[in-house]
C-alpha cells in the first residue's frame, strides 16, 4: 500500500471521531477535547499537533507516529485493519511488525519462552511484591530510585519490560484476573527503557538523542550533555521513570564517563522537581559495580531501594506451568518445580521440553533426561547465593 498523507489525515480524523463517539464518560465531548487529550498523552501542550496531522501532515518521527497509533488503538479509535492502513499511509518502515505488537492476541502465544526476555505482559508471572514496591514509589513525589539485583538469567530484564507495559495494556490482552491497575492515572506516566547491552546505548550522543526522543522532548543540535541537561531540566513535565538494564554494560562504555553519571544525579535530585526517577538492574549493588569500573559517582548512591530477585513463588510457578497448551500431569509438574527450583529460566526450559515431548507423542519420562541436559549449563548461575 502506497504512502498517502491525504488518506492518513482522513483516517486519523475518522479515528478521532470514533473516540469521541465511543467515550461513554461524556456524551458532550467535542473533537477539540479529544484532540487535547491525545496531545497531552503524547506529551504535548494540547491538541494542536493532532489537528495539524489531521490535515494530511504525517508525524515527522517514527516515535511520534507509533505513540499516536498506540493511543488511537487504546482509546478504540482504530480497529485492527484501520491501524495497518494508517501505518501504511504514513510510510512506516515496518508496518506489519509494529501492527503485530499492537494486536498480539491475533498471534498465537508460545506456552514457554526459552532464551529472550519476556516482553508481553500476558507471558509474565509472579514478582507481585517487587511490583507493588516499585509502583508504590511511583505514586508519590519525588519519584525515588530502585536497584533490582539478581543473578544472570533471574528475570531482571523481563521485570523492566513488564514495568514499562503492564499499566497501559488493555485488560483483554492479559490473562484473566491479571492485575494491571497499579497506578491511578497510568496514561500520565512515562517509562523509557535503556538496554545497555545494545552497543548503540554506549555512545553518549546516541543515548542522549534516544532519551529525548522517547521523552517526546526536542532534540537539540548538537545534542551535547549540556544541551541535554538544559532540555530535560526546563521541559520535562511528565512523571518519568528511566529503566536501565544491565548497568555494568553501561559503565563499561568509555563515552559514559563520570561526568555523564554525575549529570544524571543532578537531574534526578535538583532540576526536575521530583518528576524523574530511575530503575536499574545489576548483578550486585550499583555503587560496587561503579567502583569496579573506576567510575564512582553520587548517581549510584541515590538508589535507596534495593530489590533482590529470588525464585518465583510456588503459586506463580504453578500458574506459569498451567498455561501449557497441553496440560501436564501432576507428577510432571512436581518434577519440574523440584528441578527448576522455581527459577524462571529453568521453568521455561523444562516446561518447553515436557510440552515438546507431548506434542511429539512421546510417552514415559524420557523427556526428563533431555530437560536436565538443557538446564545443566545454567546451574552454576544459581549455585551461590545471589
Amino acid at each position: 500500500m502506497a504512502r498517502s498523507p491525504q488518506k492518513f489525515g482522513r483516517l486519523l480524523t475518522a479515528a478521532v471521531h470514533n473516540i469521541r463517539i465511543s467515550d461513554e464518560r461524556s456524551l458532550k465531548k467535542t473533537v477539540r477535547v479529544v484532540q487535547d487529550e491525545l496531545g497531552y498523552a503524547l506529551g504535548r501542550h494540547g491538541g494542536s499537533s493532532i489537528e495539524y496531522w489531521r490535515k494530511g501532515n504525517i508525524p515527522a518521527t517514527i516515535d511520534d507516529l507509533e505513540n499516536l497509533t498506540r493511543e488511537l488503538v487504546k482509546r478504540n479509535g482504530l480497529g485492527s485493519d484501520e491501524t495497518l492502513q494508517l501505518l501504511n499511509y504514513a510510510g512506516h518502515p515496518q508496518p506489519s511488525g509494529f501492527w503485530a505488537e499492537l494486536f498480539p492476541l491475533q498471534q498465537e502465544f508460545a506456552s514457554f519462552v526459552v532464551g529472550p526476555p519476556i516482553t508481553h505482559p500476558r507471558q509474565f508471572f509472579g514478582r507481585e511484591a517487587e511490583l507493588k514496591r516499585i509502583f508504590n514509589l511511583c505514586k508519590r513525589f519525588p519519584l525515588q530510585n530502585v536497584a533490582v539485583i539478581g543473578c544472570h538469567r533471574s528475570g531482571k530484564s523481563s521485570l523492566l519490560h513488564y514495568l514499562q507495559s503492564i499499566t497501559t495494556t488493555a485488560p483483554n490482552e492479559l490473562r484473566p484476573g491479571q492485575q494491571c491497575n497499579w497506578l491511578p492515572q497510568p496514561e500520565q506516566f512515562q517509562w523509557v527503557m535503556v538496554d545497555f547491552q545494545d552497543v548503540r546505548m554506549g555512545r553518549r550522543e546516541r543515548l542522549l538523542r534516544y532519551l529525548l526522543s522517547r521523552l517526546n522532548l526536542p532534540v537539540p543540535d548538537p545534542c551535547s550533555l549540556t544541551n541535554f541537561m538544559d532540555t530535560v531540566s526546563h521541559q520535562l513535565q511528565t512523571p518519568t521513570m528511566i529503566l536501565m538494564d544491565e548497568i555494568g554494560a553501561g559503565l563499561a562504555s568509555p563515552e559514559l564517563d563520570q561526568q555523564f553519571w554525575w549529570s544524571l544525579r543532578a537531574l534526578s535530585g535538583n532540576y526536575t522537581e521530583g518528576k524523574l526517577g530511575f530503575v536499574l538492574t545489576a548483578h550486585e549493588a550499583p555503587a560496587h559495580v561503579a567502583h569496579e569500573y573506576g567510575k564512582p559517582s553520587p548517581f549510584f548512591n541515590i538508589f535507596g531501594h534495593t530489590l533482590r530477585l529470588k525464585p518465583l513463588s510456588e503459586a506463580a510457578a504453578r500458574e506459569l506451568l498451567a498455561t501449557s497448551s497441553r496440560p501436564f500431569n501432576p507428577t510432571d509438574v512436581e518434577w519440574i518445580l523440584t528441578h527448576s527450583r522455581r527459577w524462571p529460566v529453568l521453568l521455561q526450559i523444562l516446561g518447553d521440553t515436557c510440552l515438546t515431548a507431548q506434542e511429539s507423542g512421546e510417552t514415559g519420562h524420557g523427556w526428563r533426561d533431555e530437560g536436565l541436559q538443557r538446564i545443566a549449563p545454567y546451574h552454576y548461575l544459581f549455585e551461590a547465593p545471589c
Side-chain angles (χ1 to χ4, degrees), residues 38 48 180 183 208 236 240 356 370:
L38 287 169
S48 59
C180 61
L183 294 174
L208 299 181
L236 183 68
T240 301
T356 300
E370 180 186 350

Side-chain angles (χ1 to χ4, degrees), residues 267-340:
L267 278 181
S268 176
N270 301 321
Y271 299 118
T272 53
E273 299 179 339
K275 297 186 184 74
L276 181 64
F278 296 88
V279 179
L280 63 75
T281 69
H283 307 306
E284 51 188 327
H288 183 69
V289 178
H291 180 75
E292 285 185 339
Y293 282 94
K295 297 180 181 178
S297 166
F299 175 70
F300 297 103
N301 295 327
I302 64 175
F303 291 85
H305 302 272
T306 301
L307 306 178
R308 187 172 294 275
L309 296 189
K310 299 178 181 180
L312 296 184
S313 68
E314 182 175 342
R318 289 184 181 277
E319 185 182 7
L320 190 163
L321 295 176
T323 62
S324 172
S325 58
R326 297 192 178 200
F328 296 156
N329 67 54
T331 58
D332 285 339
V333 170
E334 298 303 323
W335 187 91
I336 293 173
L337 292 174
T338 298
H339 287 82
S340 67

Side-chain angles (χ1 to χ4, degrees), residues 43-60:
R44 303 303 207 275
H45 298 292
S48 59
S49 58
I50 309 300
E51 186 171 358
Y52 178 71
W53 293 334
R54 285 179 57 204
K55 295 176 180 178
N57 299 290
I58 293 172

Side-chain angles (χ1 to χ4, degrees), residues 7 82 85 94 103 134 171 180 206 216 240 326 340 364:
K7 291 181 179 179
E82 293 85 359
Q85 290 175 2
Q94 295 180 315
F103 296 93
I134 294 171
C180 61
R206 186 72 174 266
N216 294 306
T240 301
R326 297 192 178 200
S340 67

Side-chain angles (χ1 to χ4, degrees), residues 3-13 42 44 47-61 64-65 68-69 72 86 89-91:
R3 185 176 188 269
S4 173
Q6 293 76 21
K7 291 181 179 179
F8 170 84
R10 288 199 292 268
L11 191 52
L12 174 56
T13 296
L42 298 178
R44 303 303 207 275
S48 59
S49 58
I50 309 300
E51 186 171 358
Y52 178 71
W53 293 334
R54 285 179 57 204
K55 295 176 180 178
N57 299 290
I58 293 172
T61 69
D64 281 342
L65 173 60
L68 171 65
T69 307
L72 295 174
L86 185 81
Y89 292 151

Side-chain angles (χ1 to χ4, degrees), residues 8 29 51 66 121 136 165 262 339 363:
F8 170 84
K29 180 169 287 190
E51 186 171 358
E66 292 185 349
N136 280 344
S165 60
W262 277 70
H339 287 82
T363 58

